[in-house]
Amino acid sequence: MSTATARHIAVAEDRALPHRIDHHVARFRPRELLRLMSIRYGREIHADEAGLRLRDRMLDALALSGSEGRHRAENFLSLYCRWMTPSERESTIEAAFRAERLWSAEALGNDLDVTEAEHARARIRTFRIAGMTDADMKTKRAAKEAARKKLERLQQRLGTKPKVPRPAARVDAILNILPEDRRWWSVGAIISELERSKAIAFATLDKQTGSLRPAVHRAIKHGVAEGRLDTRMVPGSKMSEAMEVRRGGRQ
């Protein structure tokens, strides 16, 4: 069993002051020590070396927990150390309150030989796992922060669909119109169907301004480059050629 030396400090007579920096852990540590005691011993601390050390560390914490600390210490020994005589309880409490020991997070974890499993189960925040140094704590915090950011990035990816580029979205809108049997459609027929269906990808364009037809041609060109659309030129009206479109081989 490892041991550590407690740091002694001088304190004011009124220990009920709630904002004493040196005593900020006193509000939380007794509850953590009780949970640790419950994990190790159940309803009564054993009268062995480890049990006596845990008892004494609880009294050290209660000695710094305000004006009710002595009353709480008496209740603690009565409930969890019933093997002590009344005089032993009184003298043990008096010694702890006279010493007014304040333990650092590292020293207390080493003194009580706190394991990682106990630390997690008892939800301990005011003292450390045995052997955990400042450097270890820094590394642990950095790893925890990295894991948190990784989880946030994953949640963002799962919760938000990637934005589809406008040309690709417009190719999708054209493919939704073209038949599955890969029959050829004229560009004019595609434009008419886009107007009728009010496709969202082309919603900002207007046939009256002449912006819809060029956008359809740009989308067809993008689809051909991706292999999602095929085109061919056929004879049109007035001795000109017209473009026809069908589904491509890669979709």
Side-chain angles (χ1 to χ4, degrees), residues 139-155 157:
T139 301
K140 186 177 181 180
R141 284 193 295 268
K144 187 176 180 180
E145 180 66 13
R148 183 187 65 79
K149 290 181 178 179
K150 182 178 180 180
L151 179 60
E152 285 182 354
R153 291 193 296 269
L154 177 61
Q155 290 173 337
R157 287 198 298 270

Side-chain angles (χ1 to χ4, degrees), residues 44-47 51-52 55 80-85 88-89:
E44 185 173 61
I45 292 177
H46 296 176
L52 293 176
R55 176 204 65 182
Y80 302 111
C81 301
R82 292 188 293 270
W83 37 266
M84 294 181 68
T85 65
E88 287 174 335
R89 294 172 192 166

Side-chain angles (χ1 to χ4, degrees), residues 64-219:
L64 302 174
S65 64
S67 57
E68 292 296 316
R70 189 176 295 273
H71 179 64
R72 294 173 66 191
E74 292 168 354
N75 287 341
F76 169 74
L77 293 183
S78 298
L79 287 172
Y80 302 111
C81 301
R82 292 188 293 270
W83 37 266
M84 294 181 68
T85 65
S87 61
E88 287 174 335
R89 294 172 192 166
E90 183 178 352
S91 61
T92 303
I93 291 172
E94 187 60 34
F97 277 69
R98 185 170 56 251
E100 295 178 326
R101 287 181 289 265
L102 179 64
W103 291 78
S104 69
E106 182 177 358
L108 185 57
N110 290 336
D111 186 73
L112 296 177
D113 275 343
V114 179
T115 67
E116 186 171 0
E118 290 174 335
H119 196 270
R121 285 185 61 195
R123 305 190 304 279
I124 294 170
R125 298 293 180 269
T126 68
F127 55 99
R128 302 177 185 173
I129 299 166
M132 185 73 72
T133 64
D134 289 342
D136 294 331
M137 288 297 296
K138 183 177 181 180
T139 301
K140 186 177 181 180
R141 284 193 295 268
K144 187 176 180 180
E145 180 66 13
R148 183 187 65 79
K149 290 181 178 179
K150 182 178 180 180
L151 179 60
E152 285 182 354
R153 291 193 296 269
L154 177 61
Q155 290 173 337
Q156 290 173 356
R157 287 198 298 270
L158 294 176
T160 305
K161 293 182 179 179
K163 187 176 181 180
V164 179
R166 181 174 292 177
R170 288 177 174 173
V171 174
D172 290 338
I174 293 173
L175 285 170
N176 288 336
I177 293 171
L178 296 177
E180 295 288 345
D181 59 9
R182 300 187 67 201
R183 283 185 289 113
W184 293 99
W185 272 44
S186 69
V187 174
I190 291 173
I191 292 173
S192 296
E193 187 62 22
L194 288 172
E195 290 175 333
R196 187 194 66 79
S197 64
K198 295 181 173 58
I200 295 176
F202 292 89
T204 59
L205 303 171
D206 187 352
K207 182 181 179 182
Q208 302 302 321
T209 65
S211 61
L212 178 57
R213 181 174 289 272
V216 171
H217 277 278
R218 287 194 296 270

